[in-house]
Amino acid sequence: MTTRRPSALPPSRSRRRLLAALALSAAAVLGASSCSASGEGAQGGGGSAGKGAATRTVTDIAGKVEVPAEPKRIVSVDFYSPATLVDLGVKPVGVVEGFDSDDPDLRPKRYHDALKDTATIGTYYELNIEAVAQQNPDLIFAETRFLRKGELKRLQGIAPVVQLDAAGVGAWKDRTLMIGAAVGKSAEIEKQAAVFEKRADELKKKYADVLEKNRIAVFAYGQDHSTWGTYPAGHFYVPVWDAVGATFRPFTEGEHKGVEGSVSEWLSLEQIGKLDNADILLYAYGAGDFVDKTLARNTVWKNLPAVKNGMVFRNIPASVVSSFEWGTESLDALDGVLAEISEKAKA
């Protein structure tokens, strides 16, 4: 098969970023966390904490925010924080819709089991603010880029809001550390981070030859199987591939939306030839029929270098990693996929 060694970010960059984030999260709790008996200065005056409750100051993507020293009623209006909270032994009282689904491609089953009966407060892109208020939260987690106009201010009127972000390579790690700091469990989350990093390093070394010499494309289909798109480095669908140092094929003309870490434009099947710059093709866990039935009839697809070389593989399930423990489980699954790829590359 054709091999390339494209330029990539220095492998130490992700580790430096994580170490810096670890230090930041520790400082947020141990250094910058000032406990007081006053709720003055908190973002929101609502919630079950009430006046006179002890608070701590933590840092989120917007700056400093005062949160309860020991939050008791947490509402997650984002997709990610519930899994981290479960891993830390904290059960939120409100989550976005979807946790009642046991689809293995959405999340590991244990998160479904832990949260399937939790009250829902709408979707992460269309909240029910009244449902949030009904849970009487003392702390809210939100990925603010998905909030509609005016919703952040309304949420802050209910309880302190810790604002999160998930865009960019390694951003999910920073977010997870931030969640741990906000609930006063930095030590626990840092231990989970260390386990994840150790496992990622193991796979990076074990499959260095495959990872360094090949460009990958992780792709999925759009509506009615009539379009397709790929996920670049930094997208929330590919964090474990980022963690092991995979090199992604570059977008070709007309694919990039101009937003870092954003999925490509959804393209017609006639443009599937754009994937000819990938050595390894990985289709979404649930896209088997799309590959076996729709693409199998496409002549351009059948003539792609990766297809002709037999380098087409199914991606891991539940790839939208939302916590370090979830990530470690995903790395174990990735070990199996990389073993298949390595074996095929040697054939």
Side-chain angles (χ1 to χ4, degrees):
M1 62 179 288
T2 303
T3 59
R4 304 184 182 91
R5 191 183 181 90
S7 60
L9 292 175
S12 61
R13 179 178 176 182
S14 177
R15 177 169 290 280
R16 289 199 304 269
R17 183 175 182 178
L18 178 60
L19 290 174
L22 286 169
L24 177 62
S25 69
V29 176
L30 300 177
S33 296
S34 55
C35 290
S36 69
S38 171
E40 295 299 320
Q43 284 185 347
S48 60
K51 292 184 178 180
T55 62
R56 292 178 296 110
T57 301
V58 298
T59 302
D60 65 7
I61 63 169
K64 295 187 181 302
V65 55
E66 200 167 348
V67 302
E70 297 182 5
K72 303 296 184 184
R73 298 188 60 81
I74 300 172
V75 168
S76 296
V77 302
D78 68 305
F79 178 88
Y80 307 100
S81 60
T84 298
L85 293 173
V86 169
D87 289 346
L88 292 171
V90 178
K91 185 175 180 179
V93 297
V95 295
V96 294
E97 295 175 9
F99 284 90
D100 57 340
S101 171
D102 59 0
D103 183 347
D105 197 24
L106 287 178
R107 61 186 59 83
K109 185 175 182 296
R110 62 194 184 90
Y111 300 112
H112 159 73
D113 291 342
L115 299 168
K116 61 184 178 182
D117 297 323
T118 304
T120 57
I121 43 78
T123 64
Y124 67 88
Y125 53 87
E126 190 171 351
L127 292 179
N128 182 335
I129 302 294
E130 289 72 24
V132 174
Q134 286 173 3
Q135 296 308 313
N136 194 28
D138 55 7
L139 181 62
I140 297 171
F141 286 107
E143 187 178 357
T144 46
R145 64 175 172 157
F146 289 116
L147 296 180
R148 293 171 294 183
K149 185 177 181 180
E151 286 186 332
L152 175 59
K153 188 173 182 179
R154 292 178 67 190
L155 290 173
Q156 290 172 335
I158 298 170
V161 177
V162 173
Q163 300 179 50
L164 309 171
D165 189 15
V169 177
W172 73 273
K173 299 178 186 179
D174 299 341
R175 178 194 69 225
T176 305
L177 291 165
M178 196 177 295
I179 294 167
V183 297
K185 292 182 178 288
S186 281
E188 293 93 327
I189 205 68
E190 288 167 17
K191 288 178 182 178
Q192 294 174 12
V195 172
F196 174 85
E197 289 299 318
K198 180 180 179 182
R199 184 69 172 123
D201 284 346
E202 290 172 355
L203 296 188
K204 192 179 298 185
K205 294 173 183 176
K206 183 177 180 180
Y207 299 106
D209 192 53
V210 167
L211 291 167
E212 292 176 1
K213 293 181 179 179
N214 297 281
R215 289 176 173 175
I216 71 168
V218 181
F219 70 97
Y221 62 87
Q223 291 183 343
D224 302 322
H225 288 198
S226 62
T227 58
W228 63 277
T230 61
Y231 302 102
H235 192 274
F236 57 74
Y237 198 77
V238 294
V240 291
W241 288 103
D242 285 332
V244 298
T247 301
F248 290 75
R249 66 177 276 275
F251 282 152
T252 61
E253 185 177 357
E255 284 188 76
H256 204 301
K257 291 182 177 179
V259 179
E260 181 186 4
S262 175
V263 66
S264 72
E265 295 287 354
W266 293 97
L267 305 172
S268 68
L269 295 183
E270 287 73 20
Q271 296 173 287
I272 200 74
K274 287 178 175 289
L275 291 176
D276 65 359
N277 63 352
D279 304 299
I280 299 169
L281 297 174
L282 296 139
Y283 59 90
Y285 185 81
D289 282 351
F290 176 64
V291 173
D292 296 337
K293 297 179 180 179
T294 303
L295 292 181
R297 301 192 301 266
N298 188 300
T299 301
V300 178
W301 163 262
K302 290 189 287 187
N303 283 295
L304 289 173
V307 177
K308 294 175 73 173
N309 290 328
M311 300 300 284
V312 181
F313 304 89
R314 188 188 199 187
N315 194 27
I316 63 170
S319 61
V320 185
V321 170
S322 298
S323 70
F324 287 117
E325 290 194 349
W326 180 337
T328 301
E329 292 177 22
S330 292
L331 287 172
D332 290 340
L334 187 63
D335 192 358
V337 175
L338 285 169
E340 286 185 61
I341 294 173
S342 181
E343 188 65 27
K344 186 68 178 180
K346 294 174 183 176

